Amino acid sequence: MEAVARFYRHAHLSFKALFGWLNPGVYLMVMVINPLSQLLFFAMLAKYAFQGSNLAGYVVSNALLLCVMNAVFGMMTVINSDRQMGTLQLVVASPASKIGVFFARAIFHIVSGLFTAALGLAFGMLIFGLTFSGEQLAWLGLVWTVSISAACGLGFVISSFALWSPSMHIWSNLLASVLLLFSGASFPRSHMPDWMYRLSEFFPLTRGVEATKLLIRTGDKEFTTILTRMAEEGLLGCGFFLLGILLFYYAEYLARVKGTMEME
């Protein structure tokens, strides 16, 4: 039990420090106002472009996309903050399990991503007068949990780049834009060129957006398709987390051989 309590304390304090919760205004601006303004912009754009057709699907899909704030920018800070504060060497040299240390820092970003997406969903329902059944909301909770976890896995891979590059804002902004573009949240993926359509299968959130639109579409009960796509999304997320861990251990090996963590 002590190990579980220590894991929770580490996860909570790391997340709290990253977003400056000692000043709640920082969290309010970063994780509430900014995501909701993004949702309103893309929902209004889709409403204008498609003359209101399937508006609910675009609103709810864009609510899911709000997790990018956690999956990309939040996960980037997992390693980047240690590098900037000069504590990365201490973390690498410590005998503690690196997997446990960094997974503890990631877990609250998954929870926060779910909260941000749920907040966006409530905001969209209020602004656009949308209603959903309890069954649809329960399935959305399952789909979003899997999809946001997979997105955080890709964010962990990108955050490991902080071991080599001090210019993480370039990588994180590029990845955030790629996820927004390839997910198909604001337009049908069938409108993509063939190469984009094929490439989008390798990014998380693509299947989550597809499953979300299937759930919201009235009369659709394609649960087999949804579960299959979510199983693929879960495997993709596990693959990203494994790749991020391998990159970290490779950097740790290079640091021990070269005697420095400055590898750029």
Side-chain angles (χ1 to χ4, degrees), residues 232-255:
E232 295 173 359
E233 189 90 314
L235 287 174
L236 186 66
C238 290
F240 283 135
F241 272 112
L242 179 61
L243 178 59
I245 291 169
L246 291 176
L247 286 173
F248 183 86
Y249 278 127
Y250 179 62
E252 185 181 20
Y253 164 76
L254 290 180

Side-chain angles (χ1 to χ4, degrees), residues 23 45 91 131 184 251:
N23 177 7
L45 185 64
V91 173
T131 56

Side-chain angles (χ1 to χ4, degrees), residues 1-263:
M1 286 301 295
E2 173 56 27
V4 175
R6 187 165 57 247
F7 179 87
Y8 173 78
R9 286 197 301 271
H10 181 198
H12 178 245
L13 289 175
S14 298
F15 182 80
K16 186 175 180 179
L18 286 176
F19 283 98
W21 274 16
L22 295 177
N23 177 7
V26 176
Y27 183 85
L28 185 67
M29 288 297 296
V30 175
M31 300 306 299
V32 178
I33 296 178
N34 186 30
L36 293 186
S37 63
Q38 175 186 310
L39 169 69
L40 188 60
F41 172 79
F42 283 108
M44 292 301 295
L45 185 64
K47 182 179 181 180
Y48 172 78
F50 301 107
Q51 289 81 45
S53 174
N54 195 26
L55 177 63
Y58 294 115
V59 171
V60 181
S61 297
N62 275 285
L64 170 60
L65 262 290
L66 298 185
C67 75
V68 169
M69 291 296 296
N70 296 94
V72 177
F73 298 103
M75 292 300 295
M76 178 193 72
T77 60
V78 168
I79 295 176
N80 198 44
S81 59
D82 269 328
R83 183 189 179 105
Q84 291 179 341
M85 291 186 290
T87 55
L88 185 60
Q89 293 88 342
L90 299 177
V91 173
V92 173
S94 74
S97 167
K98 307 304 181 296
I99 295 176
V101 168
F102 289 109
F103 186 71
R105 296 182 181 186
I107 196 73
F108 260 75
H109 290 290
I110 297 174
V111 176
S112 180
L114 271 170
F115 172 75
T116 305
L119 193 64
L121 175 63
F123 179 73
M125 292 171 67
L126 178 66
I127 294 296
F128 296 98
L130 305 175
T131 56
F132 306 107
S133 68
E135 184 184 28
Q136 285 176 313
L137 294 176
W139 274 92
L140 276 179
L142 172 65
V143 167
W144 286 9
T145 300
V146 175
S147 198
I148 291 171
S149 300
C152 286
L154 179 57
F156 185 55
V157 173
I158 294 299
S159 74
S160 67
F161 288 8
L163 298 165
W164 284 274
S165 170
S167 305
M168 286 307 297
H169 289 290
I170 296 174
W171 292 103
S172 57
N173 281 286
L174 177 63
L175 178 61
S177 300
V178 166
L179 289 178
L180 289 173
L181 178 63
F182 281 81
S183 68
S186 298
F187 57 89
R189 288 176 64 214
S190 57
H191 290 191
M192 294 180 180
D194 185 59
W195 68 269
M196 279 187 65
Y197 187 91
R198 294 175 184 275
L199 189 59
S200 66
E201 288 289 320
F202 294 93
F203 290 104
L205 296 177
T206 299
R207 296 163 185 79
V209 166
E210 180 183 335
T212 296
K213 289 182 176 178
L214 284 175
L215 284 169
I216 297 306
R217 193 180 304 161
T218 305
D220 264 328
K221 300 295 181 185
E222 301 178 30
F223 295 139
T224 302
T225 302
I226 292 170
L227 288 175
T228 301
R229 297 295 275 168
M230 286 303 96
E232 295 173 359
E233 189 90 314
L235 287 174
L236 186 66
C238 290
F240 283 135
F241 272 112
L242 179 61
L243 178 59
I245 291 169
L246 291 176
L247 286 173
F248 183 86
Y249 278 127
Y250 179 62
E252 185 181 20
Y253 164 76
L254 290 180
R256 294 186 189 283
V257 170
K258 296 181 177 180
T260 178
M261 288 297 298
E262 304 301 324
M263 290 179 281

